[in-house]
Amino acid sequence: MARPEQVLLLEPQHELRFRGDISLWQNKFSPFTDVVTTTLKLANPTDRSVCFKVKTTAPRRYCVRPNSGVIDAGTSINVSVMLQPFDYDPNEKSKHKFMVQSLLAPPDMTDTEGVWKDAKPEDLMDSKLRCVFEMPAENEKTHEMESNKISSSLSKSESSTLSMKSMPSSLDDGEVKKIMEECKRLQTEVQRLREENKQIREDDGLRMRKSTVMSAPHSSPAVRVKEEGLSARVIALIVLFFVVGVIVGKLAL
């Protein structure tokens, strides 16, 4: 007699995947040196409670929590399947399988174990799942590292932007207004000083040109006289120093 169809909805339906560490595998180490966990979701869409058990062909390699229990009508449960560290052998992967066994709980159930013992074979339902051991491809690992770097950069950029935006909020509106008015006043003062300086330079240049034109014919003789007088005094001083030097030299001898 054929067994009834499984009433529980399994996710995933056909296989449990366990992903190893590609870097360990490339360095000739087992890619499963740490515990790898995958989740099996069991949902009960019926209007009755359902008892379940999770079994495996390699019980020493896996830790299943919970491995049995009761799922109430219209609810679901997550089962954690933890692969224990082991030396990976590609030839062994096809030997690992799981089976989810279930049966409808009687209305007056008080002892779960008693229900399993008294259950008839035609009342039992089961679903089989195979285990898949996989290593992420190298390009997937590179993409993951780049994504982490980009996320880190974006986080720093957003943090910097937020800090810059929050700086003005530490000042009162009145203080900000005073600072802006002071900046405008200083800018106006600088512009005024620049214009005054420019006007002064233009006036000085005009006065110097006028005075030069007016005084040039009268000042030339006076300048020549002063230069001649200066030259005569310089020559007299030189002659005096020479005579004094000669006298001192003779006295020293």
Side-chain angles (χ1 to χ4, degrees), residues 101-168:
Q101 200 171 41
S102 63
L103 61 86
L104 294 173
D108 55 349
M109 180 184 66
T110 57
D111 180 14
T112 306
E113 290 300 323
V115 171
W116 285 104
K117 290 180 180 179
D118 298 336
K120 299 177 181 179
E122 58 269 19
D123 295 333
L124 299 177
M125 299 167 283
D126 58 62
S127 300
K128 295 180 175 61
L129 300 94
R130 65 188 186 95
C131 296
V132 177
F133 305 100
E134 61 178 12
M135 273 71 70
E138 187 65 28
N139 57 350
E140 291 182 9
K141 184 180 178 183
T142 303
H143 177 70
E144 183 178 357
M145 293 176 63
E146 292 177 352
S147 298
N148 291 335
K149 290 181 180 179
I150 294 172
S151 298
S152 178
S153 300
L154 289 174
S155 298
K156 291 180 180 178
S157 177
E158 290 176 358
S159 176
S160 176
T161 303
L162 289 174
S163 63
M164 292 180 66
K165 289 182 178 179
S166 62
M167 286 178 64

Side-chain angles (χ1 to χ4, degrees), residues 53 97 112 114 178 235-236 252:
K53 283 186 178 182
K97 292 183 176 64
T112 306
K178 289 181 181 179
I235 293 170

Side-chain angles (χ1 to χ4, degrees), residues 10-78:
L10 279 62
E11 185 181 345
Q13 296 181 353
H14 306 294
E15 59 188 23
L16 296 175
R17 291 185 171 271
F18 301 90
R19 175 169 291 198
D21 190 332
I22 186 64
S23 60
L24 295 174
W25 180 245
Q26 290 176 340
N27 292 321
K28 301 185 184 302
F29 293 103
S30 173
F32 298 98
T33 55
D34 293 326
V35 175
V36 180
T37 303
T38 189
T39 301
L40 172 63
K41 182 179 180 180
L42 304 178
N44 178 13
T46 68
D47 56 357
R48 293 180 55 181
S49 297
V50 176
C51 301
F52 76 93
K53 283 186 178 182
V54 181
K55 300 180 179 180
T56 178
T57 56
R60 294 183 179 180
R61 293 285 174 84
Y62 299 92
C63 180
V64 183
R65 293 290 183 274
N67 59 358
S68 63
V70 179
I71 306 175
D72 294 332
T75 63
S76 62
I77 189 171
N78 289 329

Side-chain angles (χ1 to χ4, degrees), residues 80-252:
S80 295
V81 183
M82 293 163 278
L83 174 64
Q84 303 304 299
F86 74 106
D87 292 329
Y88 175 67
D89 182 4
N91 298 322
E92 189 181 1
K93 62 182 181 180
S94 60
K95 299 180 181 179
H96 295 194
K97 292 183 176 64
F98 273 82
M99 181 177 68
V100 178
Q101 200 171 41
S102 63
L103 61 86
L104 294 173
D108 55 349
M109 180 184 66
T110 57
D111 180 14
T112 306
E113 290 300 323
V115 171
W116 285 104
K117 290 180 180 179
D118 298 336
K120 299 177 181 179
E122 58 269 19
D123 295 333
L124 299 177
M125 299 167 283
D126 58 62
S127 300
K128 295 180 175 61
L129 300 94
R130 65 188 186 95
C131 296
V132 177
F133 305 100
E134 61 178 12
M135 273 71 70
E138 187 65 28
N139 57 350
E140 291 182 9
K141 184 180 178 183
T142 303
H143 177 70
E144 183 178 357
M145 293 176 63
E146 292 177 352
S147 298
N148 291 335
K149 290 181 180 179
I150 294 172
S151 298
S152 178
S153 300
L154 289 174
S155 298
K156 291 180 180 178
S157 177
E158 290 176 358
S159 176
S160 176
T161 303
L162 289 174
S163 63
M164 292 180 66
K165 289 182 178 179
S166 62
M167 286 178 64
S169 63
S170 62
L171 297 174
D172 295 334
D173 293 339
E175 295 178 353
V176 174
K177 187 176 180 180
K178 289 181 181 179
I179 293 173
M180 295 298 293
E181 292 177 352
E182 183 67 17
C183 289
K184 291 181 180 180
R185 188 187 67 80
L186 292 175
Q187 290 175 354
T188 304
E189 184 69 17
V190 170
Q191 184 64 27
R192 185 183 65 81
L193 292 174
R194 286 178 179 175
E195 292 177 355
E196 289 183 358
N197 188 33
K198 181 179 179 182
Q199 187 65 37
I200 290 171
R201 287 181 180 179
E202 292 177 354
D203 294 344
D204 289 344
L206 182 60
R207 283 196 297 269
M208 289 177 66
R209 287 194 295 271
K210 288 182 179 180
S211 61
T212 301
V213 172
M214 295 176 63
S215 61
H218 304 285
S219 61
S220 296
V223 172
R224 285 196 295 269
V225 171
K226 288 182 179 179
E227 291 179 350
E228 291 175 357
L230 181 60
S231 300
R233 278 184 293 216
V234 171
I235 293 170
L237 288 173
I238 292 173
V239 172
L240 179 61
F241 288 148
F242 178 74
V243 172
V244 172
V246 173
I247 295 172
V248 173
K250 287 183 179 182
L251 290 174

